[in-house]
Amino acid sequence: MSEDRRAQPAEPAASQRKPYITGNWKLWGTRAQAAEYCRTFAPLLDDPAADVGLFVPFTALDTVISALDGTGVTVGAQTMSGEDSGAFTGEVSAAMLTEGGAGAVLLGHSERRQLYGETDRALQAKVPAALAAGLAPILCVGETEEEREAGDMERKLRHQIGEGLESVPDDRLADVTVAYEPIWAIGTGQVATPDQAQEAIGFVRALVGGRSEEAAQRIRVLYGGSVKPGNAAELLSQPDVDGALVGGASLDPEGFAAIVAAAG
Ligand code: PGA
């Protein structure tokens, strides 16, 4: 490579990453509600500048997948087992999800961690299991209020990212999406400031950079926690914030479509 070419500034990293706006319905969405939602939502998607994902209850997956067919929206589950089969009552495997047409899965959401005992060790197996099955995983990470106040945010993120991505080979790291969701901001209306989101997400990207600089430039890292139509644009304008994971505000199709539009 000539001196001249080496002197060229690198392309801005953000330009390589398409925004990704995702909705997490949590425990909402009978098939009837899902069908009605999609009837309103689909026409509001006018060639969006962002990729769009909806994470819905298992029982609503096929309804949403059929209703949004042709819109380009990725439809996924909110959790899955790391096992293929066996004595794991109530669990759903990656193969069961892909067979039903799911394209993605949320892993390690803080509610799964806090209420159902999901561990970093379990996620270490689940993230590669999702990738191997052809599902695009979103690995959720984030600190509690106490951890933030104690100055432990970076330690927590280092641990969650380190364990969650440990068994993912470097050349597949960028196929994972990470959602940084500070627990104190989830469902509380207490959104992180754009600076707080940028700082934490920049730190997550640097952690991935410790494994592979190329992956760090390509991996999408989303912010989640009280994202609303009114605060989305400012959060999304931060250089390292590649999108949003939206809980409560995704239940309103018009509001969620407005957040998708804010990424454009
Ligand atoms: P919220 O939830 O937008 O309702 O705060 C975010 C999430 O839990 O993913």
Side-chain angles (χ1 to χ4, degrees), residues 2 16 29 41 63 96 98 161 212 218 224 248 257:
S2 73
Q16 300 175 16
F41 184 58
T63 303
M96 292 168 187
T98 52
I161 293 289
S212 158
R218 290 178 47 223

Side-chain angles (χ1 to χ4, degrees), residues 195-219:
D195 284 350
Q196 286 172 325
Q198 167 59 32
E199 187 197 358
I201 288 176
F203 181 69
V204 167
R205 195 177 306 289
L207 290 171
V208 176
R211 291 273 308 274
S212 158
E213 198 40 54
E214 198 218 327
Q217 293 310 320
R218 290 178 47 223
I219 194 168

